């Protein structure tokens, strides 16, 4: 039962609950099912607070609410009284009087944790410096579509051990995928995320490895993932980071060739071609980045519906189809 919950890291969900979101996302993705869900969130409003820029998160959440008959309000943090010193706690209590759910993109993870604690409605992390759970739900849907399973898959993360990587650590361990993270020593994932991944992996027999060697991580991988070396908020370190990561941690044709011959490439976007990945890999035949970007919409429609509604509100039985889709 997901109604009323906060989604901050994915650690708060069981693997069964993640599958429930992915199953509903799959049903909602089907063109044939669009009509039956179009009033599902009628009279429901989502507030979206952004401390940082966004293309995909902003547009996919607003479209998700629209397609389900609800409403979304886009709020830049600068437009709120937050910018004049109103506390996050008071903002959370005030917003809770009007809307049904809040999604926020913040610099510091402690801000989203404070918001969630003070709000009386579900709070969704739309990216913090530590975690990006909505991105990883879309990544899981994409992996399931292209590979047909999670258990036993080998995932390689190459580059910065950042917010997306931290969330993938938690998700892989929960879903039974082996994850090898290749990163420079000063850019390893959050110790809390590694600890959680190791704990969850005991139940699924998944392996969690952190290495400095991209070749080792990518060898025989089914999925290769990277992200920008310069996450939002780290721009002052741009030149230093470029020197640390390049050329060793770039996903190029040579590195990608070490993965399985049917391996796919993923990236949450926005990408910097020629930095963390070359154009020929990200725009190549085994890149699934546009499917991954599209799945933000479907997973968030499913997530919002499950956080806001009782299960009896769903119009079953829906028309379903196969979960796997060919590349
Ligand atoms: N992947 C992602 O969250 O993209 P945006 O920053 O454009 O929202
Ligand atoms: N790691 C990136 C993800 C952007 C969607 C950042 O935090 O900027």
């Amino acid at each position: 039962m997901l109604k009323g919950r906060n989604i901050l890291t994915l650690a708060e969900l069981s693997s069964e609950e993640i599958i429930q979101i992915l199953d509903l996302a799959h049903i909602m993705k089907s063109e044939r099912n669009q009509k039956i869900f179009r009033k599902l969130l009628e009279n429901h409003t989502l507030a979206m607070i952004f401390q940082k820029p966004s293309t995909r998160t902003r547009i996919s959440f607003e479209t998700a609410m629209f397609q389900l008959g609800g409403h979304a309000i886009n709020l830049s943090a600068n437009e709120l009284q937050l910018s004049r010193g109103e506390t996050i706690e008071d903002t959370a209590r005030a917003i809770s009087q009007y809307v049904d759910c809040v999604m926020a993109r913040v610099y510091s993870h402690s801000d989203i944790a404070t918001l969630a604690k003070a709000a009386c409605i579900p709070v969704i992390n739309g990216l913090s410096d530590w975690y990006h759970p909505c991105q990883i739900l879309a990544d899981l849907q994409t992996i399931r579509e292209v590979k047909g399973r999670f258990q036993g898959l080998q995932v390689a993360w190459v580059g910065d051990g950042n917010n997306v990587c931290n969330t993938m650590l938690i998700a892989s361990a929960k879903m039974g995928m082996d994850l090898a993270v290749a990163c420079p020593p000063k850019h390893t994932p959050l110790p809390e995320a590694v600890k959680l991944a190791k704990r969850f992996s005991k139940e699924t027999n998944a392996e969690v490895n952190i290495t400095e060697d991209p070749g080792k991580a990518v060898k025989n991988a089914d999925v290769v993932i990277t992200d920008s070396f310069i996450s939002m908020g780290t721009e002052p370190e741009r030149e230093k980071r470029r020197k640390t990561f390049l050329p060793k941690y770039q996903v190029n044709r040579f590195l990608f060739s070490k993965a399985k011959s049917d391996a796919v490439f993923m990236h949450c976007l926005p990408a910097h071609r020629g930095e963390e990945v070359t154009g020929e890999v990200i725009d190549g035949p085994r890149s699934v980045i546009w499917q991954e970007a599209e799945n933000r919409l479907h997973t968030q429609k499913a997530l919002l519906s499950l956080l806001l509604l009782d299960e009896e509100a769903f119009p079953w039985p829906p028309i379903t189809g196969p979960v796997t889709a060919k590349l």
Side-chain angles (χ1 to χ4, degrees):
M1 182 72 176
L2 288 174
K3 193 179 172 203
R5 303 260 290 272
N6 298 316
I7 305 297
L8 304 190
T9 67
L10 289 190
E12 57 278 275
L13 297 175
S14 67
S15 53
E16 291 77 17
E17 288 166 337
I18 293 175
I19 291 290
Q20 188 186 10
I21 297 167
L22 299 181
D23 282 349
L24 183 58
H26 172 66
I27 291 163
M28 287 178 153
K29 187 171 180 174
S30 163
E31 201 72 41
R32 291 178 299 170
N33 291 341
Q34 296 292 317
K35 269 194 192 152
I36 60 169
F37 294 110
R38 75 180 167 201
K39 289 193 176 166
L40 196 63
L41 290 183
E42 199 172 30
N43 297 322
H44 287 79
T45 302
L46 169 74
M48 309 191 293
I49 302 176
F50 286 97
Q51 290 181 353
K52 299 176 183 176
S54 168
T55 297
R56 282 144 286 269
T57 305
R58 151 94 207 262
I59 300 172
S60 55
F61 265 105
E62 187 162 341
T63 306
M65 287 304 286
F66 173 76
Q67 290 185 359
L68 296 170
H71 180 60
I73 306 174
N74 187 47
L75 300 158
S76 147
N78 299 332
E79 293 162 354
L80 295 168
Q81 295 286 14
L82 266 176
S83 63
R84 295 181 56 249
E86 185 168 23
T87 64
I88 293 176
E89 288 90 339
D90 286 357
T91 305
R93 288 300 296 272
I95 292 178
S96 301
Q97 312 308 313
Y98 311 122
V99 305
D100 304 281
C101 186
V102 189
M103 182 276 294
R105 169 167 286 195
V106 297
Y107 279 100
S108 168
H109 190 76
S110 65
D111 283 0
I112 193 91
T114 306
L115 188 72
K117 208 165 165 203
C120 317
I121 52 177
V123 172
I124 302 173
N125 178 4
L127 181 149
S128 69
D129 55 345
W130 285 359
Y131 295 104
H132 196 2
C134 300
Q135 181 62 51
I136 296 303
L137 287 175
D139 287 13
L140 291 177
Q141 182 176 15
T142 310
I143 292 171
R144 197 184 194 198
E145 286 172 342
V146 298
K147 296 288 167 195
R149 66 193 166 99
F150 294 120
Q151 192 70 40
L153 286 181
Q154 292 193 41
V155 180
W157 177 280
V158 181
D160 191 11
N162 64 14
N163 43 6
V164 182
C165 176
N166 293 333
T167 322
M168 186 49 101
L169 270 160
I170 290 173
S172 303
K174 281 195 180 261
M175 306 318 287
M177 297 188 289
D178 296 342
L179 178 63
V181 177
C183 53
K186 288 197 179 136
H187 297 272
T188 50
L190 192 69
E192 171 192 272
V194 178
K195 205 168 142 190
L196 284 168
K198 289 199 166 150
R199 194 207 302 161
F200 299 141
S201 68
K202 288 201 179 101
E203 284 162 38
T204 57
N205 289 324
E207 281 186 25
V208 183
N209 285 304
I210 316 287
T211 171
E212 282 178 46
D213 183 350
K216 205 168 138 191
V218 170
K219 192 165 183 253
N220 288 328
D222 298 283
V223 179
V224 178
I225 317 184
T226 190
D227 184 12
S228 173
F229 301 144
I230 300 124
S231 281
M232 290 177 276
T234 68
E235 291 84 357
E237 301 165 24
R238 182 181 298 273
E239 285 319 309
K240 199 170 157 210
R241 282 177 169 259
R242 281 172 60 97
K243 280 192 195 124
T244 305
F245 286 99
L246 288 170
K248 186 171 171 182
Y249 294 94
Q250 181 185 70
V251 180
N252 50 35
R253 187 172 48 169
F254 174 70
L255 184 62
F256 195 45
S257 72
K258 293 179 189 289
K260 290 208 179 103
S261 58
D262 63 350
V264 292
F265 172 78
M266 298 180 71
H267 191 309
C268 64
L269 305 177
H272 307 81
R273 288 170 176 76
E275 282 194 19
E276 71 272 12
V277 59
T278 54
E280 65 181 345
V281 172
I282 195 169
D283 300 318
R286 286 193 278 134
S287 169
V288 292
I289 55 165
W290 301 120
Q291 188 173 339
E292 183 183 4
E294 180 190 336
N295 285 338
R296 292 293 303 273
L297 174 67
H298 309 300
T299 44
Q300 288 161 197
K301 281 168 79 172
L303 179 66
L304 287 164
S305 306
L306 290 164
L307 294 182
L308 296 181
L309 300 174
D310 290 314
E311 279 171 34
E312 326 43 291
F314 289 92
W316 305 120
I319 308 146
T320 55
V323 173
T324 47
K326 282 217 154 57
L327 263 180

